[in-house]
Every structure is written in structure tokens, then in C-alpha cells.
């Protein structure tokens, strides 16, 4: 182990680290070695109560501050995150196993972008003036109150910021529960926010498994829940939130299509397929795991893809030369290996990869299947690992129908030089986030989220503001009141 990864305590509540060893132990494992790098405790009811009480106590005063003052704190936090990018990226790498080469540019930096963007937006949040003849109405944009964020394990820093930044900008308090697999990074986000001047209680981190998430989601004092996770968890969390008619944002799983037409720049399309399948060892919700390639370019596409994958540098994720790291856990490795074995058993052609690597840690080769058909399990279910399935198609209408033949709708991409066709495809895709001649970029300025089973609501951009605030309408009469009797 290279870095000190044991946090001062398991939770961050009311502006300070908090420990309660009464909760079940959570072992944090470095995915590249299998070593335990920290031991934390799941939140007890006492910790959950302290988080809820402190958040509710702090929220009203926070909401009463000017947007400019709130925003200044968020922007200061963004600067601190950028200044500490290297150490935060090292921690993210230890927490997730993702290569430092990636975490240096995609995690704390993306979190800082969210803090900076929503820090800037905070001062601009206003209502509307609505003329009604001699009368008029106005709207007031108000915070929701106490928001709960629940994270997945693939982007622990980013998720903590993508939820926290818009929530705080709008004047809410947040309690964030990271995934039990990657509990370390959100604590750093809380530390930085408070160092930047965030009043105590407004951003709390509590650790735990699903039961801690469930306790938060069903508490009547919670006003909103934002989950990043799988569809089965989404169903449970959405149902629990519905009980209290609480607001929700659901960022769930996907099985997204990436369509490569014969007129595409094949090298670019291969790059898109690599970004959309092997970044973060394939553990990205929006991955384009069903790669539809037009028949005439199938062989050149596979040839270039295989050649480019041979250049992946697999190994120690803390070495900046490494471009492909391990999966997050033994459990995830088992799940992905199961999909690969069943893919082979059902007749898909293994073009490259498929094997576990002879290294300590949870390493699996980048894997490509060809001759995949629509009904195969590997073409229907989210694998969440480095497994790309190539399907072949002949024409536009056919590929659009097949691309949409999934209950998910997170993302979709098309590679073609024919821009009219690109826009026709995008118009037809049943997906929340689409890409033309690129894949998987998620700048904070652009709404991100899914349709169909992939989710409800949007993160990032001004669209996120709608999901962390509500409007109060005020009718103002300028005359006398006319009543029927
Ligand atoms: P998961 O659904 O197992 O867990 C997500 C979080 O929910 C964890 O923090 C977990 O402790 C918590 N949880 C579990 N049961 C709960 C309950 N009953 N009530 C409240 N909280 C509960 O997901 P995961 O394995 O951590 O992450 C992988 C999944 O997340 C994949 O399906 C992936 O597609 C999805 N994901 C989606 C996005 C997106 O933005 N759409 C981003 C990343 C990951």
C-alpha cells in the first residue's frame, strides 16, 4: 500500500468527522491487490439521526443566504479540489482501482467542474414575473429542503459532487451515502466543502449498505432522493420515495447502442468504441456495449479494434503509464466472468480477451465478442465490465429498430460522415444522452440522464436545477375582490 487511506472516522456529520464503532464493519479493498486499505463502520441509527438533525437545522439559514454567497463557497471548494487533484486522484484510484491516468482527468476534475458551474449558477436562480392584465403573478424558486444522495461505486468523487453541487446551489442540505464498496472519496468532498466555508450540517456523509440507504430514503424528514445505481435498487428507492411523495432523480443502468455506418471514419469509430467500453474497465453506466457495425466494414472495424486493444497497458493503476486497471471487486469480476462464459456458450465469437489476468487483484482482459445476436444475454443485460459485443446490420431503419429494442434508454451513439443521417438516428434513438461521432463525454454544461428504465430526471446543466428546487406561485391582485355573493 502506497498511500494513507484510512480516514479519520467513518462519517462526516455536522461539519466534523464522526465515528460510531457500533455499526457493522466495512472493509475497503484496493482492487489492484486485494489488500484491505481501510476499515470503516456502517452508520448506526444514532449517526443517521445526527445527520438528519444537523442537516435540517442548517438548511433554512443556508437557503436565506444570497445565491452569490452560496456560490462563492462552492467555487472556493472547486479551487481546492483542483489544487489537490493529484492526491484526490490517488485516493480515487485506491478506492476504485481505476488507473491514475484516468482519475487525474475524470474524477476530482469533474467534481470541481460541477462545483464551479453550480457555484456560478447559484446567483442566477430567480423566479418569473407573469403579467395578468391589471393583476400579476410571480414565482419564487425555493429549495426542496433535505436531499439524500446515494452513490454507485464507479465514480465516487464525481457522483458526490454531481449531486451535492446543484443541491447546495439551490439552498438545500444534503446527506450523501456512498457505495459501501468505495466509501473513501466522498469524505474528502465533505472535508473540502467545509474548508471552503460551508456551514456545518449542510453536506453530511454517512456510510453503509442498502439498509442505511433505505433508512434515509424512507425518513419523513427527507424531501428528495437522488440515486445513482442499478435498476433493481432504483425500483426499491423510487417506491420508498413514492410513499412520502418525495422528489426523485434516478440515474440507473443501461445497455446502450453505438452504431457505426460504413461511411464513418473507422479509426474514430474504434476510438469511440474503446472509450465507450473499456474506460474504467467498462464500469460506466452509459457505455455503448452493443456496437452495431454495418456489414461492409465489419472486418476492418474488428481488425483495428483488436490491434488497438493490444496496445492497452494493463497493470498497476498507480503507474501513470497504465491505461487499463482491474475491476472494482471480486464480486464484480465473478459477475462479468459469468457473462463471458455464457456468451461463449450461446455461440458468440470471442474475438479477443475473455481471460482473467495472472496478477493479484481483479484484472480481466478487455473482451470483444462478434457474431452477437439481439436475443443473446450479452446483448440484452448490463454487464458492467470490459465486454464489448459487436452486432452486424445492413440498413438504417433496421439498426434503429434493433438499437431501441431494449428496456433501457441511457445513451446512444452514431458514427457516420452523413450528418443528415446522424440527426435522423439521434431523433429516433430512445435514449436520454446521445452522441454523434464521439462517445461518453459528460461535460457539466450538458444534461445527463436516461429515459425508459435508465432513469428519471437529469444531472448537470441548468436541467439539474429543476430537480433540486421547486416553484412557489404568488398571485397578486391589484384591484378589489369580486365574489358571487
Ligand atoms: P447498486 O444499485 O447495487 O447500489 C447503488 C447504491 O444504492 C449503493 O450505495 C447501495 O448501498 C445503495 N442501495 C442498495 N439498496 C438500497 C436500498 N434498498 N435503499 C437505498 N439504497 C440502496 O449499484 P452499484 O453496483 O453500486 O453500481 C452499479 C450500477 O449503477 C449499474 O447498474 C450502473 O449502470 C449504475 N450507474 C448508473 C449511473 C448513471 O448515471 N446512470 C452512473 C453510475 C452507475
Amino acid at each position: 500500500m502506497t498511500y494513507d487511506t484510512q480516514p479519520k472516522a467513518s462519517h462526516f456529520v455536522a461539519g466534523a468527522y464522526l465515528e460510531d464503532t457500533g455499526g457493522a464493519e466495512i472493509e475497503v479493498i484496493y482492487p489492484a491487490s486485494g489488500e484491505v486499505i481501510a476499515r470503516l463502520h456502517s452508520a448506526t441509527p444514532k449517526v443517521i439521526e445526527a445527520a438528519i438533525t444537523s442537516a435540517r437545522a442548517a438548511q433554512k439559514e443556508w437557503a436565506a443566504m444570497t445565491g452569490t454567497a452560496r456560490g462563492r463557497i462552492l467555487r472556493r471548494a472547486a479551487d481546492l479540489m483542483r489544487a489537490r487533484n493529484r492526491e484526490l486522484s490517488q485516493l480515487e484510484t485506491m478506492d476504485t482501482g481505476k488507473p491514475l491516468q484516468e482519475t487525474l482527468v475524470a474524477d476530482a476534475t469533474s467534481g470541481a467542474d460541477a462545483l464551479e458551474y453550480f457555484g456560478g449558477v447559484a446567483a442566477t436562480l430567480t423566479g418569473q414575473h407573469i403579467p395578468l392584465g391589471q393583476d400579476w403573478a410571480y414565482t419564487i424558486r425555493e429549495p426542496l429542503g433535505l436531499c439524500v444522495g446515494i452513490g454507485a461505486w464507479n465514480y465516487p468523487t464525481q457522483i458526490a459532487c454531481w449531486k451535492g453541487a446543484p443541491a447546495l446551489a439551490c439552498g438545500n442540505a444534503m446527506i450523501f451515502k456512498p457505495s459501501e464498496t468505495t466509501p473513501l472519496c466522498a469524505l474528502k468532498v465533505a472535508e473540502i466543502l467545509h474548508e471552503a466555508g460551508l456551514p456545518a450540517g449542510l453536506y453530511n456523509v454517512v456510510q453503509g449498505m442498502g439498509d442505511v440507504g433505505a433508512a434515509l430514503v424512507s425518513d419523513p424528514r427527507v424531501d428528495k432522493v437522488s440515486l445513482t445505481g442499478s435498476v433493481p435498487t432504483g425500483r426499491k428507492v423510487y417506491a420508498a420515495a413514492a410513499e412520502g411523495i418525495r422528489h426523485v432523480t434516478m440515474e440507473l443502468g443501461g445497455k446502450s447502442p453505438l452504431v457505426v455506418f460504413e461511411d464513418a471514419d473507422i479509426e474514430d469509430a474504434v476510438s469511440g468504441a474503446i472509450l465507450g467500453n473499456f474506460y474504467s474497465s467498462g464500469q460506466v453506466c452509459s457505455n455503448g456495449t452493443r456496437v452495431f457495425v454495418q456489414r461492409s466494414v465489419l472486418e476492418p472495424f474488428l481488425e483495428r479494434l483488436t490491434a488497438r486493444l493490444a496496445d492497452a497497458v494493463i497493470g498497476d493503476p498507480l503507474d501513470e503509464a497504465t491505461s487499463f486497471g482491474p475491476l472494482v471487486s471480486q464480486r464484480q469480476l465473478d459477475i462479468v466472468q459469468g457473462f463471458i462464459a455464457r456468451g461463449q456458450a450461446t455461440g458468440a465469437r470471442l474475438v479477443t480477451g475473455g481471460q482473467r489476468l495472472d496478477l493479484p487483484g481483479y484484472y480481466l482482459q478487455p473482451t470483444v465478442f462478434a457474431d452477437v445476436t439481439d436475443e443473446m444475454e450479452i446483448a440484452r443485460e448490463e454487464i458492467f465490465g470490459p465486454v464489448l459485443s459487436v452486432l452486424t446490420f445492413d440498413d438504417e431503419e433496421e439498426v434503429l429498430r434493433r438499437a431501441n429494442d431494449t428496456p433501457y434508454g441511457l445513451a446512444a451513439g452514431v458514427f457516420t460522415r452523413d450528418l443528415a443521417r446522424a440527426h435522423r438516428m439521434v431523433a429516433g434513438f430512445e435514449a436520454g444522452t446521445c452522441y454523434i461521432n464521439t462517445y461518453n463525454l459528460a461535460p457539466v454544461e450538458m444534461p445527463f440522464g436516461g429515459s425508459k428504465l435508465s432513469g428519471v430526471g437529469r444531472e448537470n446543466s441548468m436541467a439539474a436545477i429543476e430537480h433540486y428546487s421547486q416553484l412557489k406561485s404568488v398571485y397578486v391582485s391589484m384591484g378589489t375582490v369580486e365574489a358571487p355573493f
Side-chain angles (χ1 to χ4, degrees):
M1 195 190 87
T2 326
Y3 302 99
D4 182 16
T5 41
Q6 178 67 42
K8 285 186 205 138
S10 301
H11 318 286
F12 197 99
V13 172
Y17 275 99
L18 174 70
E19 191 54 272
D20 181 349
T21 52
E25 191 173 85
I26 297 172
E27 279 189 342
V28 188
I29 292 172
Y30 180 36
S33 67
E35 283 172 281
V36 176
I37 55 165
R39 287 177 207 279
L40 282 76
H41 292 273
S42 186
T44 56
K46 215 166 102 192
V47 169
I48 295 174
E49 188 57 33
I52 293 177
T53 316
S54 75
R56 291 202 32 115
Q59 188 263 325
K60 290 269 185 294
E61 217 172 301
W62 176 244
M65 281 166 62
T66 65
T68 308
R70 286 200 302 271
R72 193 176 301 130
I73 292 171
L74 298 185
R75 283 182 288 112
R76 210 180 284 142
D79 291 345
L80 288 172
M81 284 195 86
R82 288 217 177 84
R84 293 179 200 164
N85 184 38
R86 182 158 286 273
E87 62 186 88
L88 293 170
S89 303
Q90 282 159 349
L91 188 68
E92 174 99 15
T93 289
M94 298 294 288
D95 218 1
T96 61
K98 292 186 293 182
L100 194 56
Q101 192 188 90
E102 281 187 21
T103 56
L104 281 169
V105 295
D107 294 282
T109 52
S110 156
D113 284 353
L115 290 164
E116 185 174 10
Y117 178 89
F118 289 107
V121 160
T124 72
L125 300 177
T126 57
Q128 241 189 327
H129 170 266
I130 304 159
L132 299 167
Q134 70 161 5
D135 291 350
W136 54 285
Y138 66 98
T139 59
I140 306 172
R141 186 169 289 283
E142 295 187 334
L144 300 174
L146 171 52
C147 303
V148 163
I150 300 179
W153 43 256
N154 57 344
Y155 281 84
T157 306
Q158 183 185 84
I159 295 171
C161 293
W162 280 19
K163 298 188 189 309
L168 293 171
C170 291
N172 301 285
M174 168 150 281
I175 301 177
F176 186 76
K177 190 203 84 63
S179 163
E180 58 273 29
T181 310
T182 54
L184 303 177
C185 299
L187 292 168
K188 289 288 171 196
V189 173
E191 250 184 57
I192 285 173
L193 279 165
H194 288 83
E195 206 179 316
L198 188 73
L202 290 167
Y203 190 90
N204 303 282
V205 176
V206 301
Q207 308 291 351
M209 330 267 170
D211 59 331
V212 171
L216 288 167
V217 169
S218 55
D219 193 287
R221 294 166 291 178
V222 168
D223 301 292
K224 192 233 156 82
V225 178
S226 176
L227 168 77
T228 297
S230 61
V231 171
T233 305
R235 284 205 173 91
K236 287 186 215 159
V237 171
Y238 204 165
E243 195 59 36
I245 320 285
R246 284 185 261 290
H247 298 251
V248 293
T249 299
M250 295 278 143
E251 291 291 352
L252 308 177
K255 191 72 199 175
S256 301
L258 176 58
V259 179
V260 180
F261 282 97
E262 60 191 0
D263 67 344
D265 178 319
I266 294 299
E267 211 55 36
D268 265 358
V270 167
S271 298
I274 289 172
L275 279 179
N277 280 275
F278 301 112
Y279 205 70
S280 302
S281 295
Q283 303 163 117
V284 181
C285 52
S286 48
N287 272 356
T289 49
R290 291 182 295 141
V291 180
F292 291 92
V293 180
Q294 202 158 16
R295 196 174 302 277
S296 56
V297 290
L298 177 66
E299 285 317 317
F301 179 88
L302 285 176
E303 198 181 299
R304 285 304 299 147
L305 180 62
T306 317
R308 299 262 304 266
L309 288 179
D311 290 339
V313 181
I314 307 177
D316 175 6
L318 289 167
D319 179 344
E320 269 181 68
T322 298
S323 57
F324 186 86
L327 294 183
V328 76
S329 63
Q330 180 67 50
R331 181 168 173 270
Q332 196 60 22
L333 178 67
D334 293 342
I335 291 172
V336 178
Q337 284 189 296
F339 276 109
I340 292 173
R342 293 191 295 280
Q344 284 181 283
T346 48
R349 171 163 62 101
L350 186 64
V351 176
T352 182
Q355 295 300 314
R356 184 174 180 176
L357 287 164
D358 189 18
L359 289 170
Y362 315 122
Y363 286 89
L364 188 61
Q365 291 173 323
T367 300
V368 175
F369 279 112
D371 303 342
V372 177
T373 54
D374 296 347
E375 67 293 342
M376 283 181 189
E377 184 197 47
I378 53 170
R380 302 214 65 82
E381 291 194 22
E382 183 181 50
I383 299 174
F384 225 58
V387 182
L388 182 161
S389 292
V390 175
L391 303 95
T392 317
F393 74 94
D394 292 300
D395 67 63
E396 185 181 321
E397 183 254 333
E398 168 213 341
V399 76
L400 184 60
R401 180 178 41 76
R402 292 170 62 198
N404 286 336
D405 181 20
T406 167
Y408 296 108
L410 189 50
V414 56
F415 277 84
T416 176
R417 285 197 178 92
D418 177 344
L419 279 185
R421 172 155 66 193
H423 292 291
R424 273 198 307 275
M425 288 294 290
V426 162
F429 279 142
E430 296 168 1
T433 311
C434 294
Y435 297 98
I436 295 176
N437 291 333
T438 187
Y439 204 80
N440 254 2
L441 303 176
V444 67
E445 297 87 347
M446 181 176 101
F448 179 83
S451 58
K452 294 158 82 176
L453 284 190
S454 294
V456 174
R458 292 291 177 269
E459 295 198 299
N460 288 341
S461 78
M462 291 304 287
I465 297 299
E466 298 298 327
H467 301 288
Y468 284 99
S469 61
Q470 59 193 341
L471 290 178
K472 177 181 277 173
S473 298
V474 184
Y475 188 108
V476 183
S477 167
M478 301 298 284
T480 52
V481 178
E482 281 177 32
F485 51 84

